[in-house]
Amino acid sequence: MLKNILKKKEFTIFLMIIIFSLIVTVLNSNFLKIGNFVDIAKGNVVYGIMAFGMLVVLISGGIDLSVPANITLSSVICGELLVKTGLSLFPIILVCIVVSGLVGLINGILITKAKLPPFVATLGVNSIIMGLVLYYTRGSMITGLPEWFRDFGVMRLLQVGDFNIPIQVVFYIVAAFITYFVLRHTVFGRGVYAVGGNPLNAARVGYNVDQITILIYVFSGFMMGLAAVVNTSVLQGVNPNTYAGVDMTVISIAVIGGASTLGGVGSVLGTVLGTLLMGVLQNGLIMAKISSFWQEIIMGIVILVAVSADIISRKREQAKLVHVDVDESEEVL
Amino acid sequence: MGKFNDTLSKYRTEKNLIIIFIISFAILGMLRPSQFLTLSNISSMAYQMPEFGIFTLGMMAIIMTGGINLSIVTTGTFIAIISALIMTSEFAVNSPILGIIVGLIVMIVMAIVTGCLNGAFVAYIGVPALLGTLGTSSLFQGIGLNVTKGGAISGLPSQFMAIGNNDILGIPIPMIIYIVVIIFSHYFLMRSVFGVHLHMVGSNPRASEFSGIDIKKVIMKAFIYSAFMSALAGMVMTARYNSAKVDYGSSYMMQAVTAAVLGGTDISGGTGSVAGVVIAVAIIQVVTTGLNIIGLDRNLVDISIGLILIVVLTLRHFSEVSKNKKLIEKRRASS
Amino acid sequence: MKKILSILLTLVMVLTMVAACGGGDTPAEEEAPAEEAGEAAEDAADDAEEVADDAEEAEAGAEDGTFKIGIMPKLMGIPYFESTGEGAIQAGEELGVEVIYNGPTKADAAEQVKMLEDWINSGVDAIAVAPNDSAAMEPVLQKAKDAGIIVLDWDTPTESDLVDASVRQIDNQTLGERLFDNLVKVMGKEEGNYAIVTGGLSAANLNTWIDFGTEYAAEAYPGLNLVTEKIPSDEIQQEAYTKTLDLVKAYPELEGIIGYSTVAPLGVAQAIRELGKQDEIAVVGTATEEDSQDFLSDGSLDIATLWDPARLGYLTVGVAKALLEGQTLEDGMEIEGFGPIELQGDNIIIMGPPDDYVAE
């Protein structure tokens, strides 16, 4: 049992989280309090939800750089709907998911039909949509959300002492389960891994690669739409200038969590741990009372160390596998 | 004539790009003849283009290996800050020429060090380029912030400022640097043994490994070249703006990827052309400058660059498809 | 050959469409879907001609004595610089000058320099820039001067000898000190622990205010203790929010937070609201009146300090016009549509003291 856990690909990153947490705890014992972890969770679920979308794209060997524009667009729509219409929560979520899904559809079509590399297609779509949103909104903030939505944003479940579950975390868990289910228990999910492993083989085995690819970007869009609503509930307002560059944060989370930019590899558990590491890192640097001028340097070093350690341990694992000549049917999750 | 046609089809990407360039130039020239088609505007574009172009060449070399370099701009500003510190230090004030020379030597040394750092992570440890360079980027920026405390380093020797703002026989000095860089890059990336290896590693790493190429070394060299380009572009920026600061040029990062891809670099590695990239840089320069002069909202300028990228690449794909079809038909007909 | 032709056509379409929209500046035109673009190409070409005609008219206008004034913010698309832009454009209409209000989409000094160079070539009569970095502007301002263009800075000074006038919303020192006075006022005592959440570590104007403020505090309120270095929030509300949550936990003894940049105080206030520490932690900072109302109402933000950005935009255009008409700046002189101005030295115009916004 223990051996199995140690063997898991996610173990290296889990170890990193523990080591880092220990160091911070020594420097400031407040770090270990439950309330702090609740805050870390609430502060990072938005990145986490987006990372699930990115995870699926990365597994398929693609990349989605339209993330900033997509979440900006949906956030603005979410804010406008809240302020100007009497729609309730679920219709709003639905609209946002559909809108962001449509952006994903555009990505998918450009990638499959116009055969643009994902990097280029999503980069272009990002600058076009971001430009349009900022041009029409003039970047102005949307505030004055209805009372019920604000109450919803600060809702906490299972309150016991310092422990509680912010409502946003519930959405995160739902997103995690959906992603897990889709990847592990649907034909589409197996298709994602197949396409990421080798598109030609996937086509030969009978997967409709184009269809799967389009669906992947639509799925990524869905997650962005959901993230937009969740983020609006955290921030209690919409600021269209918030999201430039968020794509890199999200990609880092997924890759730190073991997803490969070359495709074929990646897991929900890893992405969850990746989100946790980034969250703990940001929180820990302040908790450990480290000067702001050093935080970026440490951030860079930790990213490099985390990914390097992961890669080195995987290489060792592979070398061992080859040596013992065990078959390669290792679980992906 | 047949040979001429062959050459033309070999350089079809470049040819199409030149056509796009001429058309953009013509349209914008027609819209604003009295402002766009002036000597001073053309000269100011010649001052603006080099820093962007040099960054883009650095980006292109890494994309050709199948990776990406998110640290091009931060490497440039980081090196510029350290060099600027030396050039503004006490001994340099007393003997500016010596200060500039020492500054340039430091620049070269740092380019090698930063390039090796990137290369070590990506080639030798095997960290994905995207994340490795993101990490080093954050590292360089952090050190730059620490050194400057967020401010700008200014008061560089006037002799150094001349590099960014003077001309020789009417040609801006940044442009001369750019031209030298282009010629060097063309031979280094397209014609040298290293260039051949670079193409092979990018298009098929496994095959190149079997044919005895040291992939790691090739990637390492590409990163050192890229760091050199960053350092040069950083120096040109510093000279042009008479100061160095951590966030100068932050908008060049994604623009450089756009220009590299527009110039025919295959984002998955393998193909790339210095000439194509140079023309693509010129297209982006002309379009942004022209639309600036027209007074178009900057968000709409970003949109048009995005549109050009998607449209050109889509057309490139379909022209590729139809070319292949023709080839197949030709073969069928001849057999 | 077909492909080349199609490339040509699309490019013509894209450029003319974009150009036409920009020239007309009516969003409606832009909504023309791309699929129709093929048919629309001819129309677009017509539009483009119209734009060209407009341009000629504009030039003709300039000969009639209409001045063309370029006002450049640090970046487009953030509420503060949209408000200044509205003021500037309003001034253009009321004062009868042509105002171009445009800037980069990222706060990047390099982009600003490029755009300024393009403006110089497009033949503006005056340039006013809110520099992302003061030092970087020197060479391009020199170019503008050489081209006979009136040069101003606004919002953030370039500290250059080249500018004909420097329009400042407030005196930096006054604002820096005011924020600390406000903090002490809200805390109700002259000692205690406080933290600073700022927009970015390399934002020059924010750093100036912080430096003036901390120097002043060292003298006036020696009991105040800054618990850690200023915390950057990358001008992102979410960052300011999470980092404030972390700050409060890391430094439980915290009694006050000053937020710099128009976004950071909002993120700070939001965290304080969520923690329910409105009464325990004093929050002051720089935020616009409109954006801060919500947080002021329940005391999660205690005092917001800023100025009217639209008036700043208006004043900048007014001063530029006065200079173009050959007037010399004097203390107390009347600026059309604005009123009398306060002059410091030869050419530094101070719009007035900052305004404090509190709960209504």
Side-chain angles (χ1 to χ4, degrees), chain C residues 282-299:
Chain C
V283 180
V284 300
T286 53
T288 63
E289 189 174 11
E290 194 191 344
D291 295 338
S292 47
Q293 269 320 316
D294 177 29
F295 293 113
L296 288 171
S297 64
D298 73 341

Side-chain angles (χ1 to χ4, degrees), chain C residues 94-257:
Chain C
E94 290 180 16
L95 306 182
V97 291
E98 191 193 340
V99 170
I100 308 165
Y101 188 81
N102 206 1
T105 48
K106 265 186 130 182
D108 181 1
E111 281 292 307
Q112 280 190 311
V113 169
K114 284 185 173 189
M115 291 184 72
L116 286 173
E117 285 173 343
D118 293 343
W119 278 3
I120 295 171
N121 291 319
S122 79
V124 293
D125 301 302
I127 282 175
V129 60
N132 280 309
D133 183 66
S134 349
M137 296 298 141
E138 192 79 19
V140 70
L141 293 185
Q142 185 64 56
K143 274 181 207 164
K145 275 277 176 196
D146 294 346
I149 293 171
I150 300 272
V151 177
L152 296 88
D153 61 48
W154 66 287
D155 185 73
T156 303
T158 52
E159 271 139 27
S160 161
D161 305 332
L162 295 169
V163 291
D164 296 291
S166 178
V167 182
R168 302 182 187 179
Q169 55 277 41
I170 31 96
D171 180 48
N172 280 329
Q173 192 170 353
T174 314
L175 179 71
E177 295 177 0
R178 171 76 71 87
L179 287 168
F180 277 81
D181 288 337
N182 284 347
L183 180 72
V184 166
K185 196 159 82 189
V186 178
M187 279 172 33
K189 52 179 183 173
E190 294 193 359
E191 76 238 344
N193 296 301
Y194 74 100
I196 290 175
V197 178
T198 179
L201 293 176
S202 55
N205 58 337
L206 305 185
N207 285 342
T208 316
W209 298 338
I210 294 171
D211 291 346
F212 270 124
T214 44
E215 268 170 40
Y216 167 72
E219 293 257 320
Y221 309 115
L224 284 181
N225 171 38
L226 179 62
V227 293
T228 180
E229 290 274 6
K230 51 195 169 196
I231 305 279
S233 64
D234 299 336
E235 299 275 354
I236 295 175
Q237 196 180 331
Q238 159 111 34
E239 292 275 310
Y241 159 78
T242 39
K243 287 190 170 167
T244 305
L245 288 180
D246 299 344
L247 259 177
V248 174
K249 277 171 296 187
Y251 307 95
E253 66 281 10
L254 208 60
E255 288 161 281
I257 299 176

